PDB file of all heavy atoms in Angstrom:
ATOM      1  N   ALA A   1     -89.988 -44.917  22.860  1.00  0.00           N
ATOM      2  CA  ALA A   1     -89.971 -45.965  23.879  1.00  0.00           C
ATOM      3  C   ALA A   1     -91.035 -45.687  24.941  1.00  0.00           C
ATOM      4  O   ALA A   1     -91.817 -46.572  25.299  1.00  0.00           O
ATOM      5  CB  ALA A   1     -88.590 -46.070  24.522  1.00  0.00           C
ATOM      6  N   CYS A   2     -91.071 -44.460  25.440  1.00  0.00           N
ATOM      7  CA  CYS A   2     -92.089 -44.094  26.429  1.00  0.00           C
ATOM      8  C   CYS A   2     -93.484 -44.200  25.828  1.00  0.00           C
ATOM      9  O   CYS A   2     -94.415 -44.687  26.465  1.00  0.00           O
ATOM     10  CB  CYS A   2     -91.853 -42.678  26.941  1.00  0.00           C
ATOM     11  SG  CYS A   2     -90.403 -42.489  27.997  1.00  0.00           S
ATOM     12  N   GLU A   3     -93.607 -43.768  24.587  1.00  0.00           N
ATOM     13  CA  GLU A   3     -94.901 -43.813  23.931  1.00  0.00           C
ATOM     14  C   GLU A   3     -95.384 -45.259  23.761  1.00  0.00           C
ATOM     15  O   GLU A   3     -96.554 -45.566  23.966  1.00  0.00           O
ATOM     16  CB  GLU A   3     -94.818 -43.129  22.557  1.00  0.00           C
ATOM     17  CG  GLU A   3     -94.552 -41.639  22.612  1.00  0.00           C
ATOM     18  CD  GLU A   3     -93.073 -41.277  22.748  1.00  0.00           C
ATOM     19  OE1 GLU A   3     -92.252 -42.181  23.036  1.00  0.00           O
ATOM     20  OE2 GLU A   3     -92.735 -40.097  22.578  1.00  0.00           O
ATOM     21  N   ALA A   4     -94.465 -46.152  23.419  1.00  0.00           N
ATOM     22  CA  ALA A   4     -94.824 -47.557  23.227  1.00  0.00           C
ATOM     23  C   ALA A   4     -95.306 -48.186  24.525  1.00  0.00           C
ATOM     24  O   ALA A   4     -96.297 -48.933  24.541  1.00  0.00           O
ATOM     25  CB  ALA A   4     -93.630 -48.337  22.678  1.00  0.00           C
ATOM     26  N   ASP A   5     -94.613 -47.883  25.636  1.00  0.00           N
ATOM     27  CA  ASP A   5     -95.013 -48.480  26.909  1.00  0.00           C
ATOM     28  C   ASP A   5     -96.299 -47.872  27.453  1.00  0.00           C
ATOM     29  O   ASP A   5     -97.028 -48.529  28.209  1.00  0.00           O
ATOM     30  CB  ASP A   5     -93.880 -48.354  27.936  1.00  0.00           C
ATOM     31  CG  ASP A   5     -92.890 -49.494  27.815  1.00  0.00           C
ATOM     32  OD1 ASP A   5     -93.062 -50.317  26.891  1.00  0.00           O
ATOM     33  OD2 ASP A   5     -91.949 -49.587  28.616  1.00  0.00           O
ATOM     34  N   LEU A   6     -96.601 -46.637  27.089  1.00  0.00           N
ATOM     35  CA  LEU A   6     -97.909 -46.077  27.451  1.00  0.00           C
ATOM     36  C   LEU A   6     -99.010 -46.716  26.611  1.00  0.00           C
ATOM     37  O   LEU A   6    -100.111 -46.983  27.100  1.00  0.00           O
ATOM     38  CB  LEU A   6     -97.913 -44.562  27.251  1.00  0.00           C
ATOM     39  CG  LEU A   6     -97.098 -43.744  28.252  1.00  0.00           C
ATOM     40  CD1 LEU A   6     -97.108 -42.270  27.875  1.00  0.00           C
ATOM     41  CD2 LEU A   6     -97.629 -43.919  29.669  1.00  0.00           C
ATOM     42  N   ASN A   7     -98.700 -46.991  25.354  1.00  0.00           N
ATOM     43  CA  ASN A   7     -99.670 -47.652  24.478  1.00  0.00           C
ATOM     44  C   ASN A   7    -100.035 -49.041  24.997  1.00  0.00           C
ATOM     45  O   ASN A   7    -101.176 -49.492  24.876  1.00  0.00           O
ATOM     46  CB  ASN A   7     -99.091 -47.755  23.069  1.00  0.00           C
ATOM     47  CG  ASN A   7    -100.099 -48.255  22.064  1.00  0.00           C
ATOM     48  OD1 ASN A   7    -101.159 -47.681  21.908  1.00  0.00           O
ATOM     49  ND2 ASN A   7     -99.768 -49.339  21.371  1.00  0.00           N
ATOM     50  N   VAL A   8     -99.056 -49.702  25.623  1.00  0.00           N
ATOM     51  CA  VAL A   8     -99.276 -51.035  26.180  1.00  0.00           C
ATOM     52  C   VAL A   8    -100.375 -51.018  27.247  1.00  0.00           C
ATOM     53  O   VAL A   8    -101.078 -52.012  27.450  1.00  0.00           O
ATOM     54  CB  VAL A   8     -97.956 -51.593  26.765  1.00  0.00           C
ATOM     55  CG1 VAL A   8     -98.185 -52.796  27.646  1.00  0.00           C
ATOM     56  CG2 VAL A   8     -97.002 -51.951  25.634  1.00  0.00           C
ATOM     57  N   LEU A   9    -100.546 -49.893  27.924  1.00  0.00           N
ATOM     58  CA  LEU A   9    -101.553 -49.799  28.980  1.00  0.00           C
ATOM     59  C   LEU A   9    -102.973 -50.030  28.452  1.00  0.00           C
ATOM     60  O   LEU A   9    -103.875 -50.353  29.220  1.00  0.00           O
ATOM     61  CB  LEU A   9    -101.488 -48.433  29.655  1.00  0.00           C
ATOM     62  CG  LEU A   9    -100.258 -48.160  30.522  1.00  0.00           C
ATOM     63  CD1 LEU A   9    -100.258 -46.718  31.021  1.00  0.00           C
ATOM     64  CD2 LEU A   9    -100.188 -49.125  31.692  1.00  0.00           C
ATOM     65  N   GLY A  10    -103.149 -49.882  27.161  1.00  0.00           N
ATOM     66  CA  GLY A  10    -104.459 -50.107  26.576  1.00  0.00           C
ATOM     67  C   GLY A  10    -104.730 -51.554  26.216  1.00  0.00           C
ATOM     68  O   GLY A  10    -105.843 -51.890  25.807  1.00  0.00           O
ATOM     69  N   THR A  11    -103.731 -52.430  26.351  1.00  0.00           N
ATOM     70  CA  THR A  11    -103.922 -53.835  26.021  1.00  0.00           C
ATOM     71  C   THR A  11    -104.701 -54.545  27.128  1.00  0.00           C
ATOM     72  O   THR A  11    -104.868 -54.027  28.235  1.00  0.00           O
ATOM     73  CB  THR A  11    -102.569 -54.533  25.814  1.00  0.00           C
ATOM     74  OG1 THR A  11    -101.823 -54.510  27.040  1.00  0.00           O
ATOM     75  CG2 THR A  11    -101.764 -53.834  24.730  1.00  0.00           C
ATOM     76  N   LEU A  12    -105.125 -55.776  26.849  1.00  0.00           N
ATOM     77  CA  LEU A  12    -105.981 -56.477  27.807  1.00  0.00           C
ATOM     78  C   LEU A  12    -105.243 -56.879  29.081  1.00  0.00           C
ATOM     79  O   LEU A  12    -105.863 -57.114  30.117  1.00  0.00           O
ATOM     80  CB  LEU A  12    -106.618 -57.710  27.150  1.00  0.00           C
ATOM     81  CG  LEU A  12    -105.696 -58.756  26.504  1.00  0.00           C
ATOM     82  CD1 LEU A  12    -105.213 -59.754  27.515  1.00  0.00           C
ATOM     83  CD2 LEU A  12    -106.446 -59.468  25.384  1.00  0.00           C
ATOM     84  N   VAL A  13    -103.912 -56.928  29.047  1.00  0.00           N
ATOM     85  CA  VAL A  13    -103.164 -57.277  30.261  1.00  0.00           C
ATOM     86  C   VAL A  13    -103.317 -56.185  31.313  1.00  0.00           C
ATOM     87  O   VAL A  13    -103.544 -56.454  32.496  1.00  0.00           O
ATOM     88  CB  VAL A  13    -101.678 -57.518  29.949  1.00  0.00           C
ATOM     89  CG1 VAL A  13    -100.886 -57.730  31.242  1.00  0.00           C
ATOM     90  CG2 VAL A  13    -101.516 -58.736  29.041  1.00  0.00           C
ATOM     91  N   PHE A  14    -103.214 -54.926  30.894  1.00  0.00           N
ATOM     92  CA  PHE A  14    -103.285 -53.803  31.826  1.00  0.00           C
ATOM     93  C   PHE A  14    -104.691 -53.200  31.878  1.00  0.00           C
ATOM     94  O   PHE A  14    -105.161 -52.791  32.930  1.00  0.00           O
ATOM     95  CB  PHE A  14    -102.267 -52.734  31.442  1.00  0.00           C
ATOM     96  CG  PHE A  14    -100.850 -53.226  31.479  1.00  0.00           C
ATOM     97  CD1 PHE A  14    -100.222 -53.682  30.333  1.00  0.00           C
ATOM     98  CD2 PHE A  14    -100.146 -53.261  32.672  1.00  0.00           C
ATOM     99  CE1 PHE A  14     -98.921 -54.147  30.367  1.00  0.00           C
ATOM    100  CE2 PHE A  14     -98.842 -53.731  32.718  1.00  0.00           C
ATOM    101  CZ  PHE A  14     -98.228 -54.178  31.566  1.00  0.00           C
ATOM    102  N   ASP A  15    -105.331 -53.083  30.730  1.00  0.00           N
ATOM    103  CA  ASP A  15    -106.721 -52.610  30.625  1.00  0.00           C
ATOM    104  C   ASP A  15    -106.940 -51.316  31.408  1.00  0.00           C
ATOM    105  O   ASP A  15    -107.714 -51.261  32.367  1.00  0.00           O
ATOM    106  CB  ASP A  15    -107.680 -53.701  31.109  1.00  0.00           C
ATOM    107  CG  ASP A  15    -109.131 -53.379  30.747  1.00  0.00           C
ATOM    108  OD1 ASP A  15    -109.348 -52.452  29.952  1.00  0.00           O
ATOM    109  OD2 ASP A  15    -110.029 -54.046  31.283  1.00  0.00           O
ATOM    110  N   LEU A  16    -106.251 -50.267  30.958  1.00  0.00           N
ATOM    111  CA  LEU A  16    -106.324 -48.973  31.632  1.00  0.00           C
ATOM    112  C   LEU A  16    -107.754 -48.466  31.776  1.00  0.00           C
ATOM    113  O   LEU A  16    -108.097 -47.816  32.764  1.00  0.00           O
ATOM    114  CB  LEU A  16    -105.481 -47.956  30.851  1.00  0.00           C
ATOM    115  CG  LEU A  16    -105.278 -46.579  31.461  1.00  0.00           C
ATOM    116  CD1 LEU A  16    -104.452 -46.670  32.739  1.00  0.00           C
ATOM    117  CD2 LEU A  16    -104.607 -45.645  30.462  1.00  0.00           C
ATOM    118  N   GLY A  17    -108.605 -48.803  30.803  1.00  0.00           N
ATOM    119  CA  GLY A  17    -109.975 -48.306  30.816  1.00  0.00           C
ATOM    120  C   GLY A  17    -110.796 -48.790  31.992  1.00  0.00           C
ATOM    121  O   GLY A  17    -111.776 -48.136  32.377  1.00  0.00           O
ATOM    122  N   ARG A  18    -110.429 -49.932  32.603  1.00  0.00           N
ATOM    123  CA  ARG A  18    -111.217 -50.435  33.742  1.00  0.00           C
ATOM    124  C   ARG A  18    -111.104 -49.515  34.948  1.00  0.00           C
ATOM    125  O   ARG A  18    -111.892 -49.611  35.889  1.00  0.00           O
ATOM    126  CB  ARG A  18    -110.776 -51.855  34.104  1.00  0.00           C
ATOM    127  CG  ARG A  18    -109.355 -51.972  34.615  1.00  0.00           C
ATOM    128  CD  ARG A  18    -108.916 -53.429  34.682  1.00  0.00           C
ATOM    129  NE  ARG A  18    -107.474 -53.546  34.733  1.00  0.00           N
ATOM    130  CZ  ARG A  18    -106.798 -54.064  35.753  1.00  0.00           C
ATOM    131  NH1 ARG A  18    -107.456 -54.519  36.815  1.00  0.00           N
ATOM    132  NH2 ARG A  18    -105.496 -54.138  35.720  1.00  0.00           N
ATOM    133  N   PHE A  19    -110.111 -48.627  34.952  1.00  0.00           N
ATOM    134  CA  PHE A  19    -109.958 -47.663  36.042  1.00  0.00           C
ATOM    135  C   PHE A  19    -110.581 -46.313  35.688  1.00  0.00           C
ATOM    136  O   PHE A  19    -110.448 -45.349  36.449  1.00  0.00           O
ATOM    137  CB  PHE A  19    -108.478 -47.461  36.358  1.00  0.00           C
ATOM    138  CG  PHE A  19    -107.765 -48.724  36.744  1.00  0.00           C
ATOM    139  CD1 PHE A  19    -106.854 -49.309  35.877  1.00  0.00           C
ATOM    140  CD2 PHE A  19    -108.002 -49.339  37.959  1.00  0.00           C
ATOM    141  CE1 PHE A  19    -106.185 -50.470  36.221  1.00  0.00           C
ATOM    142  CE2 PHE A  19    -107.346 -50.503  38.318  1.00  0.00           C
ATOM    143  CZ  PHE A  19    -106.435 -51.081  37.443  1.00  0.00           C
ATOM    144  N   GLY A  20    -111.226 -46.235  34.537  1.00  0.00           N
ATOM    145  CA  GLY A  20    -111.833 -44.984  34.116  1.00  0.00           C
ATOM    146  C   GLY A  20    -110.843 -44.013  33.485  1.00  0.00           C
ATOM    147  O   GLY A  20    -111.145 -42.832  33.325  1.00  0.00           O
ATOM    148  N   ILE A  21    -109.653 -44.521  33.099  1.00  0.00           N
ATOM    149  CA  ILE A  21    -108.623 -43.677  32.494  1.00  0.00           C
ATOM    150  C   ILE A  21    -108.511 -44.025  31.015  1.00  0.00           C
ATOM    151  O   ILE A  21    -108.399 -45.198  30.655  1.00  0.00           O
ATOM    152  CB  ILE A  21    -107.249 -43.883  33.181  1.00  0.00           C
ATOM    153  CG1 ILE A  21    -107.378 -43.709  34.696  1.00  0.00           C
ATOM    154  CG2 ILE A  21    -106.224 -42.924  32.618  1.00  0.00           C
ATOM    155  CD1 ILE A  21    -106.134 -44.100  35.461  1.00  0.00           C
ATOM    156  N   GLN A  22    -108.538 -43.011  30.169  1.00  0.00           N
ATOM    157  CA  GLN A  22    -108.461 -43.236  28.731  1.00  0.00           C
ATOM    158  C   GLN A  22    -107.599 -42.167  28.069  1.00  0.00           C
ATOM    159  O   GLN A  22    -107.527 -41.024  28.537  1.00  0.00           O
ATOM    160  CB  GLN A  22    -109.861 -43.194  28.106  1.00  0.00           C
ATOM    161  CG  GLN A  22    -110.776 -44.328  28.526  1.00  0.00           C
ATOM    162  CD  GLN A  22    -112.154 -44.202  27.908  1.00  0.00           C
ATOM    163  OE1 GLN A  22    -112.700 -43.091  27.807  1.00  0.00           O
ATOM    164  NE2 GLN A  22    -112.721 -45.308  27.466  1.00  0.00           N
ATOM    165  N   PHE A  23    -106.954 -42.556  26.965  1.00  0.00           N
ATOM    166  CA  PHE A  23    -106.263 -41.595  26.115  1.00  0.00           C
ATOM    167  C   PHE A  23    -107.218 -41.180  25.004  1.00  0.00           C
ATOM    168  O   PHE A  23    -107.887 -42.020  24.396  1.00  0.00           O
ATOM    169  CB  PHE A  23    -104.990 -42.206  25.509  1.00  0.00           C
ATOM    170  CG  PHE A  23    -103.915 -42.449  26.525  1.00  0.00           C
ATOM    171  CD1 PHE A  23    -103.579 -43.740  26.903  1.00  0.00           C
ATOM    172  CD2 PHE A  23    -103.240 -41.398  27.108  1.00  0.00           C
ATOM    173  CE1 PHE A  23    -102.584 -43.974  27.839  1.00  0.00           C
ATOM    174  CE2 PHE A  23    -102.244 -41.607  28.055  1.00  0.00           C
ATOM    175  CZ  PHE A  23    -101.924 -42.907  28.420  1.00  0.00           C
ATOM    176  N   VAL A  24    -107.290 -39.877  24.746  1.00  0.00           N
ATOM    177  CA  VAL A  24    -108.219 -39.347  23.751  1.00  0.00           C
ATOM    178  C   VAL A  24    -107.456 -38.653  22.639  1.00  0.00           C
ATOM    179  O   VAL A  24    -106.286 -38.284  22.785  1.00  0.00           O
ATOM    180  CB  VAL A  24    -109.224 -38.370  24.401  1.00  0.00           C
ATOM    181  CG1 VAL A  24    -110.114 -39.115  25.386  1.00  0.00           C
ATOM    182  CG2 VAL A  24    -108.513 -37.218  25.094  1.00  0.00           C
TER     183      VAL A  24
END
């Protein structure tokens, strides 16, 4: 559940990458 909601951060709604944060 936690993993799924963290994965959501990479979608276009949240777009985590625009803040310079990425999962590697």
Side-chain angles (χ1 to χ4, degrees):
C2 290
E3 294 84 348
D5 274 4
L6 288 176
N7 188 56
V8 166
L9 290 174
T11 63
L12 56 86
V13 174
F14 299 96
D15 192 12
L16 187 66
R18 65 191 161 117
F19 302 108
I21 307 171
Q22 293 178 320
F23 291 109
V24 295

